[in-house]
Amino acid sequence: MNYTQADAAARAGVAYRTWRRLESEGKASIEDLVRAAIALRCERDLAALFPEPAATSMDALLQQQRAAQAAAPKRRLRAPSSKASS
């Protein structure tokens, strides 16, 4: 894709200044980011920016943590050494 900034902005339906700010400062609204991704045909890559949340509620998160702790291998503690220090 050999678009100029002006062409890419027009294809995305955003202002030229918005496109320049997106490229130079990395600042844009989610809507403008999605428009840019669609214009550049990389909208499938947007999913990687928004991973699934760990849980949908605090109760679900606490339940996941308890399950992970229960599944974790138990650490064995060693008894103190019986050697006397000289």
Side-chain angles (χ1 to χ4, degrees):
M1 288 183 215
N2 250 348
Y3 300 133
T4 65
Q5 286 180 325
D7 290 340
R11 287 179 60 86
V14 299
Y16 174 66
R17 275 186 61 187
T18 300
W19 190 273
R20 286 187 47 202
R21 187 175 60 248
L22 179 102
E23 283 190 0
S24 64
E25 300 172 24
K27 294 180 182 177
S29 69
I30 296 294
E31 183 179 344
D32 290 340
L33 177 65
V34 170
R35 289 174 180 261
I38 291 170
L40 298 175
R41 298 183 184 149
C42 57
E43 63 271 15
R44 282 185 252 147
D45 297 329
L46 288 176
L49 296 176
F50 305 100
E52 290 292 321
T56 56
S57 69
M58 285 302 292
D59 289 335
L61 180 61
L62 292 171
Q63 184 178 8
Q64 288 176 3
Q65 288 176 344
R66 284 191 293 272
Q69 288 173 346
K74 304 291 183 217
R75 292 184 57 188
R76 293 176 52 174
L77 299 175
R78 292 184 176 205
S81 175
S82 61
K83 293 181 182 178
S85 55
S86 307

